[in-house]
Amino acid sequence: MIRRCFQVAARLGHHRGLLEAPHILPRLNPASAFGSSTDSMFSRFLPEKTDLKDYALPNASWCSDMLSLYQEFLEKTKSSGWIKLPSFKSNRDHIQGLKLPSGLAVSSDKGDCRIFTRCIQVEGQGFEYVIFFQPTQKKSVCLFQPGPYLEGPPGFAHGGSLAAMMDETFSKTAFLAGEGLFTLSLNIRFKNLIPVGSLVVMDVEVDKIEDQKLYMSCIAHSRDQQTVYAKSSGVFLQLQLEEESPQ
Amino acid sequence: MLRSCAARLRTLWALCRPPVGRRLPGSVPRPELRSFSSEEVILKDCSVPNPSWNKDLRLLFDQFMKKCEDGSWKRLPSYKRTPTERIQDFKTRFLDPKLMKEEQMSQAQLFTRSFDDGLGFEYVMFYNDIEKRMVCLFQGGPYLEGPPGFIHGGAIATMIDSTVGMCAMMAGGIVMTANLNINYKRPIPLCSVVMINSQLDKVEGRKFFVSCNVQSVDEKTLYSEATSLFIKLNPAKSLT
């Protein structure tokens, strides 16, 4: 059943499959789990009160560049509509009360699951990052500092760690900008190696939303813009989450 | 009398003292890093079965070990850290020595080996030199989650990058990823086993073109496809 769902989804290249078979994958419907307003979606994603630990907050491992840029963006959250996204240990915490569409949801008693980009919890050793999102412009900025456990070539971040950070930023942007849920494609052009412990600024934009796909692009660069680390584009599949059945 | 007592005490103390693990220069043993600072852990080959490997992974491992018997395939060992000699070699050939921080290097670990057994990337790579093929058997653990119950797209990208990168390295020595292009067809369930089958397609000067696909154990499900370009590093040009 899962395979069939994705065979249908994979035919998005021709678009017809999804549109002709609404009974397999739910069509986007205003009267859905999110309601008609983005407010309710945001309030689910950004709970006002929560006991969950937010990992996207400054700690002792953050370099001075990252701290000062973080402050600049905090100012923008007050003045120009930017939102600082919380970052919990598991993606499940971000969608409480919701689940993947039936057919895709897998019961998971795998024990302690963690979102990949929060896999290493020791401060400063793995992914240190925070994402700011601007809903009207459909833009995101991710401040990313790779730690020594993300090493690839000696002294530099593993290419996969940047790919992961790009995929994650695309993922949260796609989710909030248009209910994007699964990566369809990722295309990364690496330009320069990233020294471990340095700050990477990632600018992400939603270029277009078409035929239930979100198209985004990203430029990862140094704070002073003098070094471009990589450029990438990502395409995500729009899919609505469903309400979890009351237990 | 006191002198002989002191001598005896000193011998006793020397015998009771715990063996000192060799610590890398400049590093301070912190509780959370203690398990990684001893020589034995760093030099442990991680690409062999451990209790977290599920049935599928063990079966595939045995199948490929059989293929190694006639020498056409070779299993690649995999360590938590690049051996010191290789680090020195890389530094002297490609880096500006003034800019590298010694302290950071000593804490570093290869990203794909930064996890305890079964939690992250469990994998082993096999190489066929004649066909220029690198196969990676990969089991993704619960710390690699993306959508609930599935592996994060970035974790898949990391494993693809590692596999095609190794394939390029076998042919070209020290290389750097230039392009990585991944098409995700189906999400991979957490804790399942997949085969990443990569192939060196073409070499043009310092450019190495490698493609791969990610399949289920029975080869009936195609999860993703990728193409990549690696560039052989030029020792004449510094990276920093």
Side-chain angles (χ1 to χ4, degrees):
Chain A
M1 174 45 170
I2 295 173
R3 199 175 305 165
R4 212 154 46 96
C5 279
F6 267 79
Q7 277 168 346
V8 172
R11 276 192 302 234
L12 280 177
H14 312 286
H15 314 314
R16 300 297 142 236
L18 192 64
L19 296 173
E20 280 167 357
H23 58 282
I24 294 180
L25 285 168
R27 285 294 318 275
L28 287 176
N29 182 348
S32 68
F34 289 137
S36 51
S37 73
T38 42
D39 286 346
S40 100
M41 173 167 68
F42 271 65
S43 64
R44 293 253 203 177
F45 190 88
L46 309 160
E48 262 183 32
K49 275 196 177 59
T50 176
D51 290 330
L52 296 164
K53 178 169 167 169
D54 181 357
Y55 286 90
L57 289 170
N59 63 56
S61 73
W62 285 27
C63 65
S64 54
D65 270 344
M66 190 158 172
L67 285 168
S68 63
L69 207 47
Y70 175 80
Q71 288 304 320
E72 275 183 41
F73 274 93
L74 266 195
E75 287 305 310
K76 294 194 198 196
T77 62
K78 298 171 192 150
S79 56
S80 41
W82 285 80
I83 302 173
K84 185 197 92 71
L85 301 187
S87 175
F88 306 130
K89 198 172 82 169
S90 164
N91 249 345
R92 296 148 196 263
D93 296 328
H94 281 286
I95 56 166
Q96 285 187 357
L98 298 169
K99 63 178 172 71
L100 293 179
S102 35
L104 283 173
V106 287
S107 73
S108 214
D109 38 325
K110 311 286 180 202
D112 184 24
C113 293
R114 289 188 192 167
I115 188 174
F116 180 45
T117 44
R118 293 293 176 199
C119 57
I120 294 159
Q121 304 227 285
V122 182
E123 261 181 25
Q125 299 300 114
F127 294 90
E128 289 293 339
Y129 70 95
V130 54
I131 302 174
F132 291 90
F133 175 64
Q134 219 294 358
T136 334
Q137 298 172 36
K138 294 207 196 315
K139 279 187 183 177
S140 290
V141 172
C142 174
L143 309 179
F144 168 45
Q145 181 184 292
Y149 283 15
L150 302 191
E151 203 181 73
F156 297 96
H158 197 287
S161 71
L162 182 62
M165 203 63 251
M166 284 176 160
D167 182 55
E168 178 57 21
T169 311
F170 280 146
S171 170
K172 293 291 180 284
T173 309
F175 184 72
L176 292 170
E179 296 174 298
L181 220 48
F182 285 97
T183 323
L184 287 176
S185 72
L186 208 55
N187 183 318
I188 309 174
R189 284 88 63 202
F190 296 89
K191 308 284 178 195
N192 283 291
L193 290 175
I194 303 167
V196 162
S198 57
L199 173 67
V200 181
V201 181
M202 292 159 56
D203 294 312
V204 169
E205 276 186 15
V206 177
D207 297 324
K208 67 177 177 187
I209 303 178
E210 200 176 76
D211 298 321
Q212 282 175 269
K213 289 189 281 189
L214 286 115
Y215 295 78
M216 292 162 288
S217 55
C218 168
I219 304 180
H221 55 88
S222 60
R223 187 191 181 163
D224 61 11
Q225 318 246 7
Q226 293 300 309
T227 312
V228 174
Y229 294 117
K231 295 186 182 180
S232 68
S233 47
V235 183
F236 272 68
L237 175 67
Q238 281 183 319
L239 216 55
Q240 279 185 330
L241 294 173
E242 293 177 357
E243 291 282 353
E244 225 156 47
S245 38
Q247 268 141 32
Chain B
M1 210 246 301
L2 278 169
R3 210 173 297 155
S4 60
C5 272
R8 231 172 282 141
L9 275 170
R10 232 179 290 135
T11 325
L12 209 61
W13 178 68
L15 285 170
C16 293
R17 210 167 46 154
V20 177
R22 189 152 69 86
R23 260 187 284 121
L24 299 152
S27 75
V28 174
R30 294 184 319 188
E32 62 270 24
L33 294 178
R34 206 181 294 134
S35 58
F36 298 123
S37 66
S38 73
E39 189 77 19
E40 307 91 62
V41 177
I42 292 168
L43 294 182
K44 185 182 103 153
D45 181 355
C46 303
S47 283
V48 289
N50 67 56
S52 73
W53 284 30
N54 68 24
K55 197 175 53 138
D56 281 339
L57 188 54
R58 286 171 193 274
L59 221 74
L60 269 179
F61 178 78
D62 291 336
Q63 281 174 24
F64 272 87
M65 286 306 284
K66 259 204 120 47
K67 294 198 210 221
C68 291
E69 280 167 11
D70 66 358
S72 58
W73 287 85
K74 280 195 174 59
R75 186 190 68 87
L76 259 59
S78 170
Y79 306 102
K80 278 192 183 296
R81 286 210 46 190
T82 320
T84 326
E85 319 83 61
R86 283 246 201 102
I87 297 179
Q88 290 305 324
D89 183 46
F90 181 79
K91 275 167 78 178
T92 42
R93 285 166 77 185
F94 300 111
L95 303 180
D96 182 345
K98 294 189 287 290
L99 293 176
M100 288 321 298
K101 297 186 228 170
E102 191 68 52
E103 190 191 295
Q104 289 234 304
M105 307 267 285
S106 64
Q107 286 173 20
Q109 292 192 134
L110 182 61
F111 180 31
T112 48
R113 292 296 179 198
S114 289
F115 301 81
D116 287 338
D117 282 356
L119 294 175
F121 300 93
E122 288 298 336
Y123 66 95
V124 52
M125 296 200 204
F126 291 89
Y127 184 61
N128 185 315
D129 194 37
I130 300 183
E131 297 175 34
K132 302 290 183 227
R133 274 178 63 199
M134 182 71 70
V135 170
C136 176
L137 312 176
F138 166 49
Q139 175 186 302
Y143 282 14
L144 307 187
E145 202 180 39
F150 297 101
I151 301 186
H152 198 283
I156 300 167
T158 299
M159 222 46 241
I160 288 176
D161 182 47
S162 297
T163 309
V164 293
M166 260 307 177
C167 190
M169 271 189 1
M170 296 306 275
I174 298 183
V175 294
M176 181 181 140
T177 324
N179 292 352
L180 191 59
N181 198 323
I182 306 172
N183 285 319
Y184 298 83
K185 308 278 185 191
R186 285 169 188 81
I188 301 176
L190 218 48
C191 303
S192 66
V193 178
V194 296
M195 244 189 348
I196 305 173
N197 219 321
S198 76
Q199 176 82 51
L200 178 67
D201 294 322
K202 187 169 60 167
V203 179
E204 267 176 23
R206 287 195 294 129
K207 294 187 188 173
F208 293 78
F209 296 85
V210 187
S211 61
C212 79
N213 57 46
V214 182
Q215 291 181 312
S216 59
V217 168
D218 60 10
E219 297 184 37
K220 291 194 178 146
T221 310
L222 177 64
Y223 289 109
S224 15
E225 285 175 326
T227 56
S228 66
L229 169 63
F230 285 80
I231 312 276
K232 186 180 172 74
L233 293 188
N234 185 352
K237 218 173 107 180
S238 172
L239 283 171
T240 50

